[in-house]
Amino acid sequence: MKVVKITSSFFSQSQDLINWISLHGDPSNVRNLNGVIPAYPIFMFIGIILVIVASIIKMKTKRIPLRELELAIVITVPLGILGATIFGKAFIPGLVWYHVFFFWEPGMSLFGALGLGVAAGFVWFYRRSKVTMISVWVYADCILPNILLGQIIGRWGNMYNHEILGQVVSYESLGWLIGSIRDQLFYFPSELATLALPNGWGEIVANHGSNLDEAIQALIDAGLPSDQGETMKNLLTQPLQYREPLFLYESLSNSCLWLILTFIVPNLSRWFQPPLKYPWDVEPKAYPGWYNKKYKHLPESEISSMNSQKPIKYQRVLVGDDQTPELKLSFFNAWNKAYYWYESDEAETEKLLASQEQRSEKIQQVYQRVEGLSQQKTKRQNQAKQRFLNQSHQYDKGNAQFKKAKTTYHQELRTNRVEYQKAKQTQLASLGGFKRHFAANPDAKYLEQVNNPNHFWILRSGVISGGYLFGYLLIRIILETHRQASELFIQNTPIADYLVLSLILFLGIVLIVFAQGISPYKWRMVGWLYEKSY
């Protein structure tokens, strides 16, 4: 175990001890004595900017308008910060209640940010999807994985602030780390928090302490009792307990997960298909290229064409002694031609669109009838009110006839409301009642067949979002096993902690299964953007 002696050189090189004692033992609130802005907000701001920039780039590559994202930032970022600070500080014993809103102070919960911020973002993008005709899962796949970038930067902020670490380890076991990180992975003895130091003690130590004895004597001269000075000396000469760099582990793990979700997972369906199901296996002459076993390149006249939403870009090569020009496709453009830019048969699309519009007209008619019923209810209420007002002028308020007229008026209102609710429910029942909000599109499965006639295995919108949830919770659960009980997500309650984290991880699995195997065959609509434009 490494032993740290307090000397003037130590004080000149580090403020950790001064900060630690000045806050009486709260390692999550380390600040510079000179009033420098706490580190966490800076890292948090950088993390948020990275998330936004990466999301913009992802949406631009998919040619998705940024207007919805711009407005979402205004909504979700403040709510995410609010959720993080409230959830992260609400259960701190003895905290002044309004300090839960001090987001610039350490004590921010990632799950609080995700819970409130992502919920608000989902509601916003879901409502806007009705206008933009872009699936909410497309938006989610463009944004959610990039939250990992914010987490990566945030964990460096946690390390900078000297916040919670992992289990106790030997100093020698940390030899693989650079010294500037390794030498910070400890807490000073908690007993230091009970020492009553004199005012201005930090400057006294920094200015007058040439070694530990002189530093302590300077504090005693300024008012620190000699017995406390001796206690401080004993504490500061004890071996320090070093901890695992869990936040470094989490930052590196999140970096790997972001790279996987950004560059590997989206291309899985391009790289892995059942035997003989790659586009160039199904129709070799449509996709000449290095991946094609039969045709590496072909004359333009021999290449099979097909309907495409965008022009297909071929690469020109010169073949033979006479340098005959032929064409080939890059790997990604081959997949664009086969699926992502493939345009379905116009007649089939028109048939699906007509069926969809017919159902929409039926739904619209029902809602128009409901609106008519509402107008009738309002009209009857106004008529009943007018009759009551006409009658009430004829009687005194305490009169029995006045009371009878008032009772009749309220009965009419109740009857009118009951009749309206019954008529409304009858109309909505024709659409399936409450289930209408989750009603599947009966043409969704056929729509999928029309847009993927060769039945390629395709990774669906929403899988990456589920992968983020599953991947991060897996990392968190693994690292949770290295935390002390007081450092858990649910402090000092390991069973509840692992149960809640496991449920969230299971939710990620459910989302992956739903997005990949259920949603494409139940709820997709003509004209919308999913992993491709339908």
Side-chain angles (χ1 to χ4, degrees), residues 462-476:
V463 171
I464 293 176
S465 299
Y468 161 71
L469 204 58
F470 170 79
Y472 175 68
L473 265 297
L474 183 61
I475 292 171
R476 183 60 183 263

Side-chain angles (χ1 to χ4, degrees), residues 131-419:
V131 178
T132 63
M133 299 180 74
I134 299 173
S135 170
V136 66
W137 299 120
V138 174
Y139 288 119
D141 285 352
C142 289
I143 299 170
L144 279 182
N146 295 321
I147 293 177
L148 288 166
L149 296 174
Q151 294 173 233
I152 293 166
I153 298 299
R155 287 319 186 197
W156 282 95
N158 291 129
M159 290 180 60
Y160 186 93
N161 276 354
H162 212 81
E163 293 182 49
I164 58 173
L165 305 169
Q167 298 292 340
V168 175
V169 295
S170 67
Y171 181 78
E172 291 71 23
S173 68
L174 300 173
W176 58 277
L177 290 167
I178 60 174
S180 58
I181 294 178
R182 179 179 65 249
D183 292 341
Q184 300 298 318
L185 297 178
F186 67 88
Y187 288 158
F188 286 97
S190 59
E191 292 86 349
L192 287 173
T194 63
L195 299 181
L197 298 170
N199 293 332
W201 68 270
E203 293 183 8
I204 293 172
V205 171
N207 294 332
H208 301 286
S210 59
N211 56 43
L212 181 59
D213 290 331
E214 292 183 10
I216 297 298
Q217 188 59 50
L219 291 175
I220 292 174
D221 293 341
L224 177 69
S226 58
D227 59 336
Q228 288 200 22
E230 186 64 27
T231 300
M232 183 176 179
K233 179 178 179 180
N234 292 335
L235 290 173
L236 295 181
T237 54
Q238 290 178 3
L240 298 176
Q241 289 187 336
Y242 283 80
R243 307 291 188 91
E244 292 179 282
L246 283 192
F247 285 141
L248 176 60
Y249 296 161
E250 185 171 338
S251 182
L252 295 175
S253 299
N254 286 343
S255 300
C256 293
L257 180 59
W258 180 80
L259 291 172
I260 290 171
L261 292 176
T262 303
F263 299 105
I264 296 179
V265 173
N267 295 309
L268 287 178
S269 55
R270 288 184 171 97
W271 297 331
F272 301 102
Q273 290 288 324
L276 301 179
K277 285 298 293 183
Y278 289 94
W280 40 92
D281 294 329
V282 176
E283 193 173 353
K285 284 197 170 184
Y287 312 97
W290 61 265
Y291 42 81
N292 192 326
K293 295 179 180 179
K294 293 185 177 180
Y295 304 104
K296 304 301 180 185
H297 39 75
L298 281 171
E300 183 176 1
S301 59
E302 296 184 25
I303 298 178
S304 301
S305 62
M306 58 184 63
N307 295 332
S308 178
Q309 298 173 1
K310 303 175 184 178
I312 303 297
K313 294 182 179 180
Y314 293 87
Q315 297 174 356
R316 184 178 176 182
V317 295
L318 300 176
V319 181
D321 296 335
D322 57 353
Q323 296 290 285
T324 303
E326 294 189 358
L327 302 178
K328 65 177 182 179
L329 276 172
S330 68
F331 180 80
F332 280 90
N333 274 333
W335 268 110
N336 288 337
K337 180 179 180 179
Y339 177 76
Y340 294 99
W341 295 352
Y342 170 79
E343 189 171 31
S344 60
D345 181 76
E346 185 176 351
E348 296 293 342
T349 302
E350 289 295 331
K351 185 170 72 172
L352 286 165
L353 187 59
S355 176
Q356 184 171 300
E357 289 177 348
Q358 186 177 6
R359 288 192 303 276
S360 297
E361 289 176 4
K362 178 183 176 181
I363 294 172
Q364 187 64 30
Q365 289 172 1
V366 170
Y367 280 109
Q368 287 176 351
R369 289 195 288 270
V370 170
E371 178 63 24
L373 292 171
S374 177
Q375 293 174 357
Q376 290 178 14
K377 181 192 73 169
T378 302
K379 182 178 179 181
R380 290 171 182 169
Q381 287 176 335
N382 291 335
Q383 290 173 344
K385 182 178 181 180
Q386 190 60 48
R387 284 195 297 271
F388 169 68
L389 292 175
N390 293 336
Q391 294 175 358
S392 65
H393 292 313
Q394 303 175 21
Y395 314 115
D396 294 331
K397 288 190 177 181
N399 191 292
Q401 291 176 314
F402 177 85
K403 294 180 179 179
K404 181 179 179 182
K406 187 175 182 180
T407 300
T408 301
Y409 168 60
H410 286 297
Q411 287 177 343
E412 287 183 13
L413 291 182
R414 283 194 295 270
T415 301
N416 189 26
R417 284 197 297 268
V418 170
E419 290 178 350

